[in-house]
């Protein structure tokens, strides 16, 4: 079975300007892994631009 993806805790408060960027950076890896899995099953998908 594949290793489960993990997420870290936020480094900034939700009211901080850096909070959204932290979230995007954390999600980017998970999205890449998901798209790799989808492509491996035969789907052709475009990669979204990186933030």
């Amino acid at each position: 079975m594949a290793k489960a993806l993990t997420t870290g805790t936020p480094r900034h408060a939700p009211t901080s300007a850096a909070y959204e960027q932290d979230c995007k950076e954390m999600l980017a890896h998970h999205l890449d892994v998901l798209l790799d899995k989808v492509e491996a099953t035969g789907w052709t998908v475009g990669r979204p631009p990186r933030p």
Side-chain angles (χ1 to χ4, degrees):
M1 176 163 235
K3 182 180 175 185
L5 294 174
T6 59
T7 59
T9 58
R11 294 180 292 173
H12 300 281
T15 55
S16 168
Y19 185 82
E20 183 176 348
Q21 185 60 35
D22 278 349
C23 182
K24 287 178 181 180
E25 290 172 2
M26 184 275 306
L27 289 173
H29 174 69
H30 294 278
L31 182 56
D32 285 341
V33 171
L34 177 61
L35 290 174
D36 288 345
K37 288 180 180 183
V38 168
E39 288 174 335
T41 62
W43 291 92
T44 301
V45 296
R47 297 283 173 154
R50 299 287 268 187

